[in-house]
Each structure stands twice: as C-alpha cells, then as structure tokens.
Amino acid sequence: MRELDAVLDPLQARLGPLEGEPLPLSGGITNLNFRVRLGGSEYVVRLPGDGSPLLGIDRTAERLASEAAARLGIGPPVLAGVHGCLVTGFIEGSPVDPREPAERAVELAHALRSFHESGVQLPVGFAVGGLLDRYAATVRGRGGELPDDYAHARSLTTRIAGALGTVESRPCHDDLLAANIIRSSDGGRLMIVDWEYAGMGDPRFDLGNLAVNNDFAADDEERLLAAYYGGPPTDARRASLKLMRVLSDAREAAWGVVQGVVSELEFDFHEYAREHFERLRSAAAEPDFEEWLAAAG
C-alpha cells in the first residue's frame, strides 16, 4: 500500500528496519491500523481515513491527547506523527469483555478524571449541538438528505444543553466505545485508545458516553459517579449522566448519517444511525426525562 510505504520509509530511518509484513488490525471503521515490527519492537501505525476532518477529527488534538494519556499511564506510548499518521507502541493485550467496562467502572472513572485534570490544551472544542449542525451541513452539501429523526435529535440537544448549563471545558476523549478500551497483558490494567475525537468540552459527556456505550445499569452508574466525584452521587449528577447518555446517542446517530455520505467503507451506516436514533427516542420518552432536565446542572 502506497500510503503505508510513505510512512514506513521515514520510520525505518528512525526506529530500525521493517521486520516481516505489516499486519492489518481489525475493529476500526474510520481508519486503517497496522501492527508493524521495526528494529525489534512493535508499533501500531494508523492511516487516517478519507474525510476525517468532515467527521470533526483533528489529528493534532488526537496526538496531544494520546501523548497526555500515555504520560498518565492510561494509553500506549506515542512514538511519532508522520505525514498525519499516528504511531504508537503496540500494547500486548485483549479486547474487554462486554460487561468488563461496567464491572471496572471505578478504574475507568479514575482514568477519565486524571485525563480531565491533566491540563493538556487541545486545539478543538467538542459540543454535540455544534457537531450536529456541522454534520447536517456536510450531508446537505453532498446532496444527501437528513432523516426525520435528525431534527428531533437536534431539538433534544438544545433542551439538554440548556438544562445542563456550562462547566469549565476540559480535555475529553468523547468516543468511549468498548472497542476503544483494551485490557493490557501486564497485570490486566485497562487502557484507553483511539483519541481521534478528543477535544475540549464538558467532562460529564465522557461519563454518559462511557455508560451508554457499555450498557451500564443503575448500580454501575452509581459506582462510576461515586468514584469520579469522590463521594455519594447527587441527584443533579445522576440526572446529568442520564442526559449525557441521550446526547451521546444523538452524536452517534448523526455520525452514522454523515458517514453514510462521506465514507466508502462497506458498513451499514444507515442501520447504525437508526439504532441510535431509536435508543435516543426511547430515553427521551422515559417518564423521568423531564425530571432529569429539571434536576441537572
């Protein structure tokens, strides 16, 4: 692959000769990732997917966030950035089990809190409402049509943002899917990877994003909040978490819609968006939804 060769040539001069063939890593939807062995050590080379900026991805922010995570011990070491590609150390490990993030909510809460308080300044912001507006403009600009659910999701983001109020922007991961959490082989600690959507935003989004994408039950959320804030959860924090779960689904659904017009990958983005719109509608129809809006902030 020509793009990979263009990255490997300067890397060999710095890290040593290529040994064996690069091995594609599965699991990514936006990028192509390869496991490579250079000079006796193993690395992961990420080739950015086409249209990454249209998805709200900033590669400088990704690198800075990845470096901060590495310094904190919650992400793999960052070796280089070559031609816009991120090169990290390969962490020997395994994907987490479906229930593992919830079972280890305390560990993840501490990891996220450490990153939020790291002080790293990222060059982009992250707010779901503005992101949905940019995604909608991209879809229309490419001749696509927005599904009827899109307007409902955008309206909900406005209501939720008003209820949550503003907090100090902190560096956030913003994409805490199970696929972005791995269990390292050196003691089984959890590592957070794939920081490409990182930006300065509301740290509460990471909590809701983690919870909804990993099927946290009510008691899992209680442990997550207690560990993150260092004390028993308040009603306001519980409500904020519930609302951030809804915002997370709004973002995921909109991401599926825009990917449907910018991506050339063989993936059913329409179905992905539909599933998240459906989950968003269900959450907004909960009898407690209005109470969450009143209690949050």
Side-chain angles (χ1 to χ4, degrees):
M1 178 182 292
R2 184 179 304 171
E3 295 89 347
L4 183 59
D5 290 340
V7 175
L8 290 178
D9 287 344
L11 282 178
Q12 290 184 79
R14 175 179 172 182
L15 301 175
L18 177 67
E19 302 174 17
E21 291 295 319
L23 300 176
L25 296 175
S26 62
I29 298 176
T30 305
N31 311 290
L32 295 175
N33 298 294
F34 295 88
R35 178 178 177 179
V36 300
R37 187 172 183 84
L38 297 164
S41 297
E42 293 197 287
Y43 305 93
V44 174
V45 176
R46 178 201 294 278
L47 299 183
D50 293 335
S52 293
L54 298 176
L55 301 175
I57 294 171
D58 183 285
R59 295 302 175 184
T60 299
E62 176 188 24
R63 177 179 57 79
L64 291 172
S66 299
E67 290 172 346
R71 288 193 296 271
L72 294 167
I74 61 172
V78 178
L79 276 300
V82 180
H83 302 313
C85 300
L86 188 69
V87 182
T88 64
F90 177 78
I91 299 295
E92 194 70 47
S94 57
V96 294
D97 298 327
R99 278 293 300 164
E100 197 164 355
E103 292 169 352
R104 301 177 69 171
V106 171
E107 181 180 351
L108 289 168
H110 292 160
L112 291 173
R113 183 68 182 251
S114 69
F115 183 76
H116 295 159
E117 295 181 345
S118 66
V120 63
Q121 293 296 307
L122 305 178
V124 293
F126 180 90
V128 174
L131 188 64
L132 263 62
D133 291 342
R134 293 192 294 276
Y135 282 176
T138 297
V139 171
R140 295 190 184 103
R142 293 188 165 228
E145 294 186 3
L146 297 173
D148 293 340
D149 282 325
Y150 205 100
H152 177 238
R154 183 63 184 90
S155 176
L156 279 177
T157 64
T158 299
R159 293 190 68 197
I160 291 172
L164 289 170
T166 59
V167 298
E168 180 183 355
S169 289
R170 298 290 183 89
C172 299
H173 184 280
D174 302 318
D175 193 28
L176 293 160
L177 304 170
N180 294 335
I181 303 170
I182 61 174
R183 185 193 321 106
S184 67
S185 59
D186 57 342
R189 62 198 173 108
L190 296 184
M191 305 280 279
I192 302 174
V193 298
D194 206 351
W195 296 82
E196 64 182 348
Y197 288 97
M200 302 298 292
D202 189 331
R204 296 173 295 182
F205 181 82
D206 271 350
L207 302 182
N209 182 248
L210 174 69
V212 73
N213 284 323
N214 294 280
D215 298 322
F216 277 34
D219 59 336
D220 303 321
E221 293 178 350
E222 288 288 294
R223 289 185 294 107
L224 177 70
L225 290 170
Y228 184 85
Y229 290 107
T234 63
D235 288 342
R237 287 169 177 168
R238 293 187 184 100
S240 295
L241 178 63
K242 294 295 188 184
L243 294 176
M244 284 300 188
R245 289 178 64 122
V246 179
L247 279 189
S248 177
D249 274 327
R251 175 276 192 89
E252 291 295 329
W255 182 89
V257 172
V258 73
Q259 279 280 43
V261 300
V262 304
S263 177
E264 296 181 358
L265 296 175
E266 293 185 5
F267 184 85
D268 193 345
F269 291 108
H270 174 77
E271 176 62 17
Y272 185 90
R274 187 198 65 77
E275 290 176 358
H276 286 280
F277 278 131
E278 182 176 319
R279 194 162 68 178
L280 177 150
R281 286 195 307 271
S282 296
E286 288 279 343
D288 295 334
F289 183 72
E290 296 297 328
E291 294 181 12
W292 298 339
L293 290 171

